[in-house]
Amino acid sequence: MTVRPILCFGEALIDFHAAGSDGRGFAQHFVPFAGGAPANVAVAVARLGGVARFAGMLGRDRFGDFLLDSLRHAGVGTADIARTDAANTALAFVALDAHGERSFTFYRGPSADLLFRPAHFRADAFRDVAVFHVCSNSMTDPALAAATREGMQRAHDAGALVSFDINLRPALWPPGVDPQPLLWPALHLADVVKASAEEFAGLAVDGEQAALDRLWLGRTRLLVVTDGARPLHWFHPDAEGELPCYPVATVDSTAAGDAFVGALLCGMARLDAGPDRLDRLVRELPHLHRMLRFAAAAGALAVTRQGSFAAMPREDEVLAFMEESA
């Protein structure tokens, strides 16, 4: 069976990681890594042997050239990328604490990724797509948010599964703007939603069950909530469950969630688990659990490496890690 591609949409940017110290707590220099959450997911899919494409806007600058080359080198299709002279490619400076947990300083607005509009989608962009994946970083600007929702709807119309990773980065949102009301329209367009435990708590201001009831009002049939090395939880309108994850020594947590999502979507694409098959997937728990455990292993391996694209593991590495950890 031919595996159809996973199309990841949104930001691609340069992550500058701090290196060295001047003795006063400041970095001596910063090392550039290709990154951006949906671009990371595309690379994760390609590294795991899936078929990945990336759609977004890059500046016609050296950073945009670097990202385009990095995506191609990772095996990601780039036909859906647009370029612009109207803004530069976004940058992020990443600081890691003693436990490998990251914090971001963004240099984004205005940046090229914010200028993508529905007209920039190729006419046949969704024709053969198994999964269309986005995250909340594309909801921070009203025009880009509208383009993202348009893409989600087009993907549905083409029969693709739609995935949404909350991946909330408060520093990207305008001051005083509450993201929650802007997230829900996109959440209701997604078949599969991934959230961290902290992000799910943010949605569940009126309680967990109220958040789930509201989520099920849309198209969502599967919610996965991760919590680092602690057990992950999954929810379906008629079922829920918990699975253990893999404790590892964290070097850099930047791409952990993206590696998890890429591995999960790769598994779904291989099963051709379209929107009409998600309920069956939950009824066939061994398939679902196998995919979630594989995704958890991919995320665990990613945190043992520095960078974003550079941290994504291959399928054989994930399988070997799972066998060693059994």
Side-chain angles (χ1 to χ4, degrees), residues 132-143:
F132 181 63
H133 172 72
V134 302
C135 77
S136 72
N137 295 350
S138 295
M139 313 307 298
T140 60
D141 173 84

Side-chain angles (χ1 to χ4, degrees), residues 11-275:
E11 63 168 357
L13 51 74
I14 305 296
D15 286 328
F16 282 98
H17 286 248
S21 174
D22 64 358
R24 295 177 295 162
F26 296 99
Q28 287 183 311
H29 57 276
F30 287 86
V31 180
F33 288 88
N40 293 339
V41 173
V43 171
V45 170
R47 286 268 172 82
L48 292 167
V51 182
R53 295 186 356 232
F54 177 75
M57 183 79 79
L58 300 177
R60 291 190 186 278
D61 53 25
R62 289 294 291 167
F63 293 131
D65 293 343
F66 175 65
L67 286 167
L68 188 64
D69 180 73
S70 297
L71 286 163
R72 288 172 174 166
H73 184 72
V76 175
T78 58
D80 300 280
I81 291 176
R83 305 291 296 270
T84 182
D85 294 310
N88 291 326
T89 301
L91 309 177
F93 288 81
V94 184
L96 302 175
D97 65 18
H99 305 289
E101 291 299 323
R102 73 280 189 270
S103 59
F104 297 94
T105 301
F106 292 99
Y107 289 77
R108 188 186 188 212
S111 61
D113 66 294
L114 299 176
L115 302 182
F116 195 99
R117 300 293 179 263
H120 292 122
F121 285 118
R122 291 188 303 114
D124 62 348
F126 301 98
R127 185 182 61 190
D128 60 343
V129 168
V131 183
F132 181 63
H133 172 72
V134 302
C135 77
S136 72
N137 295 350
S138 295
M139 313 307 298
T140 60
D141 173 84
L144 180 59
T148 304
R149 292 191 298 270
E150 173 74 14
M152 297 171 83
Q153 186 59 58
R154 290 191 196 182
H156 269 296
D157 293 344
L161 192 75
V162 174
S163 163
F164 187 83
D165 180 5
I166 294 181
N167 193 51
L168 192 63
R169 299 288 179 262
L172 289 177
W173 291 79
V177 173
D178 178 9
Q180 301 301 334
L182 301 173
L183 293 180
W184 278 103
L187 288 167
H188 281 154
L189 287 171
D191 301 293
V192 177
V193 173
K194 187 267 182 189
S196 69
E198 182 180 5
E199 290 161 351
F200 184 48
L203 291 181
V205 290
D206 296 320
E208 180 179 294
Q209 191 56 52
L212 290 170
D213 290 341
R214 185 177 181 183
L215 191 62
W216 307 143
L217 293 174
R219 289 184 165 130
T220 307
R221 307 302 288 169
L222 180 65
L223 165 69
V224 181
V225 179
T226 60
D227 193 12
R230 289 173 285 278
L232 65 84
H233 294 80
W234 61 266
F235 302 88
H236 175 272
D238 300 322
E240 62 183 74
E242 175 183 294
L243 285 173
C245 289
Y246 298 89
V248 293
T250 300
V251 172
D252 180 354
S253 64
T254 302
D258 302 326
F260 180 97
V261 171
L264 178 61
L265 298 184
C266 208
M268 289 186 168
R270 286 171 177 166
L271 285 178
D272 200 24

